[in-house]
Amino acid sequence: MRRLRPATLLLAILPATSATGPRALAQLMSSWAGANPLRTTFAAATARGIIGDLSAQRMEQGSGASTVDRQRLFLYTAFTNLIALVYDRPIYVHLFPRYFPTLVDGRRCWSNIIKATLVDNLITSPFLYFPLFYLFKDCVIRGSHAPLGALRHCADELPSQMVSCLAFWLPTTSLSQGFLPVHLRIPFLSVAACGWVSVLSITTNALDRGT
């Protein structure tokens, strides 16, 4: 089987202006990410945690709020790094490229892209990501539930959470799986996750209020 190096979506849309232009910078960043996968993972996860939780706190407190819960910010950033290690890297870097390779015989395999997207959204999200999120939210951040109670809370609210999850992540993971090389998937998904945190915060707060 002939292996081809997939071009990044970013490089495809940036103009090749000069050797020191945006395309060269994007190539340099892509090369660095490929050569430093763990550093890239932790940097992306840390940025996701900080930007995402600051945005969520601002939304929860209102536009005029100026205080930041630093303990929560630290804990959430630690959580996003944990997710990167036990969820993102095993799934997007190891399992999906092995069992659902994007390129087969040098051609984009749409059946594998669809399978990976469905597995991610219909299996790993409800049965791995959300249980971890509720354990973190209910046991660590709020201290409102014991672990079993947090899992029951997750099961009760999962149908509502999945509506938002599917609307946000189906197109996002399709794009990641179908058009990005493996070493850029976690950075791309981390950028997207900054927006997901806002969606998750809105959905979770609405469920807490019973609306």
Side-chain angles (χ1 to χ4, degrees):
M1 179 184 300
R2 186 164 64 96
R3 298 182 64 185
L4 299 178
R5 185 179 65 179
T8 69
L9 185 63
L10 179 60
L11 295 179
I13 62 176
L14 284 175
T17 54
S18 68
T20 58
R23 184 181 179 87
L25 178 60
Q27 180 70 65
L28 179 64
M29 293 173 63
S30 176
S31 298
W32 189 91
N36 300 273
L38 286 178
R39 291 181 182 179
T40 300
T41 296
F42 285 123
T46 299
R48 178 202 316 182
I50 293 173
I51 297 172
D53 192 56
L54 286 175
S55 174
Q57 288 193 39
R58 183 176 178 85
M59 290 181 59
E60 293 167 10
Q61 297 174 10
S63 58
S66 58
T67 60
V68 174
D69 186 337
R70 295 184 180 181
Q71 181 179 9
R72 170 179 147 169
L73 180 63
F74 171 80
L75 290 172
Y76 189 79
T77 303
F79 173 72
T80 56
N81 277 273
L82 175 65
I83 287 294
L85 284 178
V86 304
Y87 186 93
D88 292 347
R89 283 194 62 80
I91 293 171
Y92 303 123
V93 176
H94 299 292
L95 293 179
F96 282 4
R98 179 177 180 180
Y99 294 105
F100 309 113
T102 301
L103 296 179
V104 176
D105 294 331
R107 297 182 178 181
R108 186 167 284 109
C109 181
W110 289 104
S111 63
N112 280 349
I113 295 170
I114 293 171
K115 289 175 187 176
T117 300
L118 293 178
V119 168
D120 188 25
N121 285 274
L122 299 180
I123 297 178
T124 60
S125 289
F127 296 109
L128 180 57
Y129 173 79
F130 276 112
L132 288 173
F133 171 71
Y134 272 82
L135 285 169
F136 168 75
K137 175 177 71 74
D138 289 349
C139 300
V140 179
I141 294 296
R142 298 180 178 178
S144 58
H145 294 76
L148 286 178
L151 293 176
R152 294 190 189 98
H153 190 199
C154 175
D156 291 340
E157 296 187 349
L158 188 60
S160 298
Q161 292 281 18
M162 285 300 298
V163 173
S164 300
C165 177
L166 293 175
F168 187 93
W169 285 113
L170 273 175
T172 306
T173 52
S174 298
L175 179 60
S176 171
Q177 181 68 20
F179 298 97
L180 293 178
V182 172
H183 70 279
L184 290 183
R185 289 177 185 173
I186 291 180
F188 170 77
L189 292 172
S190 293
V191 172
C194 293
W196 164 246
V197 171
S198 297
V199 175
L200 186 62
S201 177
I202 292 171
T203 305
T204 301
N205 288 334
L207 289 170
D208 289 343
R209 294 192 302 267
T211 57

